[in-house]
Amino acid sequence: MSVTAAQGFVAAGVTAGLKTSGRPDVALVVNRGRRKSAAAVFTSNRAKAHPVLWSQQVVGDGIAEAVVLNSGGANCFTGPFGFQTTHATAETVAEALGVSAGDVVVCSTGLIGVGDQVFRDKVLSGSIAAASALTVDGGLDAATAIMTTDTKPKQAVVAGDGWVVGGMAKGAGMLAPGLATMLVVLTTDADVDHGGLDDALHSATRVTFDRLDSDGCMSTNDTVLLLASGESGVVPDAEEFRAAVTELCADLAEQLQADAEGASHDIRIEIVGAASDDDAVEVGRSIARNNLFKAAVFGNDPNWGRVLAAIGTTSAEFDPYDVDVSMNGVRVCHAGAPDRPSDAVDLTARAVHVLVDLRSGGHEATILTNDLTHDYVHENSAYSS
C-alpha cells in the first residue's frame, strides 16, 4: 500500500494515453488528513522542468494537499506553453478535489521537449480520471503509473510507534547526485509540522538518494516530496522520525539501483578512513563515475588499478601509496601495492562490494552505482525513437 499505508491518504493511477505502451501514466496522491504539512527536495540542475519550478512555489509555505504525477513526458524545455500546462494541471486537480491550485504539487517524467496540445489534453483528462479513481488501495496503481524505463514499481513502508511512513519511487536511469531522474512521494500519518518534515527529508536524502550515482547524469525533473496527515495523532520523537524516513529512503534508493537501466551488477562503494565526510563522498563518487572501472566490473574483472586511478583525480586528503582496496571481501591492494591475487575475487554475482580505506581519518561514506553494460548503451541510444 506504499503511499496509502499512512492514514489519511488516497491514491490512484490511470491510463491517459501518454505512453505508447498503453500502460498507466498519470498518478494522483491526496492528503485528506487533519494536517497538510509538506516538505520537498528538488533537482540541483540549473535546467529545471516546469513542474519543478511550479512545485517549488507550492511547497514554499510548507503546505500541500495533493500531488499529481505523469510519465510519458518531462514537460521540460517546452517554453511558456509548458508552464501553462503545469498550471492548468494543478488547477484541474484543484477543481476536482475542491482545494487550492496553490496546494497541488505537479511532477512529470519522460522525454525532454515533449509538450504540445495533445500532451496537455491527455495530462488534464488523466488528472480528472485519477481524481475519480482515488482509493486507499490505490498505492500500487500510482507507483505503476509513474514508471518510465522502470521494469517494476518501487514501494516501501516503515512502521514507527503508532505511526508509519510509506513511499513510492520511480527511476532507472540518470541516477546521479542532486537526486536522480526520479519522482518520489513519501507519506506519513505522524503529526509533524513542516519544519520537522524538512529536517527529516533533507537529512535522509543526503545519505540515500544523493549517494545513488548510477550513470553520473543529472535529471531536470527530480522531486522528492514528504507529506504528513497527522491522522495517527502521534507526535513522534524527532530522531526516531528522522531515522524512519532515512530507512524508507534507503530502501527505495536500493530498489532504484537494482532496477537501473541495463545493469548486471549492483556496486556498493564503501569509503572508510577519510579525513572528512566530504572527502569520503568525493572519492566514492569518483569511482562510481569512472567508466573504465564500471566496464571492468561488467566484465567480472577486479581491476583495482582503475579504482586507484579514479580516486587520484580527487582533492581528498590521502596518500595514494597508503591506500587499501578490497573487492567482495578480498584485499587486492595494500598500501598502494598488490596484495591478494585478482583471481581470488569472484565478481560473477550481481552484488559487488568495493571497500577503500584511505587511512587518513575516521570518516566514511557509501555510494551506490552500477556497471556499464551493452544494454545500458542500447537502451539510451534509442530512448527517443
Side-chain angles (χ1 to χ4, degrees):
M1 293 203 331
S2 69
V3 292
T4 55
Q7 300 175 68
F9 291 93
V10 290
V14 301
T15 301
L18 291 166
K19 295 177 180 175
T20 57
S21 64
R23 295 175 180 174
D25 46 29
V26 173
L28 181 62
V29 179
V30 178
N31 182 356
R32 290 180 172 170
R34 68 188 80 176
R35 181 182 279 282
K36 312 292 184 182
S37 301
V41 177
F42 300 97
T43 181
S44 56
N45 197 325
R46 291 173 58 196
K48 292 177 172 60
H50 294 302
V52 170
L53 297 173
W54 168 268
S55 298
Q56 286 178 316
Q57 298 178 50
V58 170
V59 300
D61 62 357
I63 297 173
E65 298 205 39
V67 53
V68 57
L69 315 93
N70 76 268
S71 55
N75 193 13
C76 179
F77 292 118
T78 48
F81 182 86
F83 191 80
Q84 292 163 9
T85 298
T86 298
H87 195 170
T89 302
E91 289 182 326
T92 298
V93 170
E95 182 176 358
L97 299 178
V99 302
S100 168
D103 291 329
V104 178
V105 173
V106 180
C107 300
S108 298
T109 183
L111 188 65
I112 291 173
V114 173
D116 57 14
Q117 187 64 48
V118 173
F119 172 82
R120 176 189 284 184
D121 290 345
K122 289 180 177 180
V123 170
L124 298 184
S125 63
S127 299
I128 294 171
S132 299
L134 291 167
T135 170
V136 294
D137 297 319
L140 177 58
D141 290 339
T144 301
I146 62 176
M147 293 166 51
T148 49
T149 57
D150 306 65
T151 65
K152 62 188 70 174
K154 299 160 182 69
Q155 305 178 93
V157 176
V158 174
D161 186 9
W163 49 271
V164 301
V165 286
M168 66 179 187
K170 66 77 49 183
M174 291 178 74
L175 300 179
L179 309 184
T181 181
M182 64 183 190
L183 303 180
V184 179
V185 179
L186 312 175
T187 59
T188 184
D189 51 19
D191 191 359
V192 184
D193 62 14
H194 164 70
L197 296 183
D198 191 64
D199 173 71
L201 186 62
H202 279 79
S203 176
T205 56
R206 183 181 65 83
V207 296
T208 58
F209 296 126
D210 277 347
R211 294 186 183 178
L212 172 62
D213 201 329
S214 180
D215 56 13
C217 300
M218 186 187 297
S219 173
T220 56
N221 291 61
D222 307 336
T223 301
V224 181
L225 178 69
L226 174 57
L227 305 172
S229 69
E231 283 298 290
S232 70
V234 178
V235 179
D237 173 79
E239 184 57 39
E240 290 180 5
F241 183 69
R242 190 181 303 115
V245 174
T246 299
E247 181 181 346
L248 181 69
C249 290
D251 188 330
L252 291 171
E254 290 180 1
Q255 291 185 53
L256 293 172
Q257 179 197 26
D259 198 27
E261 292 171 344
S264 63
H265 291 86
D266 300 328
I267 309 169
R268 179 177 292 270
I269 303 170
E270 183 181 358
I271 310 300
V272 299
S276 67
D277 286 350
D278 288 345
D279 276 6
V281 171
E282 182 183 2
V283 168
R285 207 180 301 292
S286 180
I287 299 169
R289 292 184 169 185
N290 187 283
N291 284 339
L292 289 176
F293 162 73
K294 292 156 74 75
V297 174
F298 170 61
N300 299 326
D301 176 13
N303 191 334
W304 55 268
R306 292 179 175 177
V307 174
L308 290 180
I311 69 176
T313 66
T314 71
S315 60
E317 180 183 334
F318 65 91
D319 179 350
Y321 294 96
D322 193 28
V323 172
D324 292 348
V325 178
S326 299
M327 292 186 170
N328 281 358
V330 178
R331 193 174 68 177
V332 287
C333 169
H334 174 55
D339 192 3
R340 295 281 302 281
S342 293
D343 58 14
V345 181
D346 182 5
L347 296 182
T348 57
R350 185 173 180 100
V352 173
H353 179 225
V354 176
L355 175 65
V356 177
D357 188 348
L358 298 178
R359 305 166 70 91
S360 297
H363 297 266
E364 59 187 51
T366 298
I367 304 295
L368 305 180
T369 191
N370 306 92
D371 55 349
L372 179 59
T373 69
H374 301 303
D375 288 343
Y376 172 85
V377 174
H378 174 73
E379 184 162 340
N380 284 281
S381 68
Y383 183 71
S384 62
S385 62

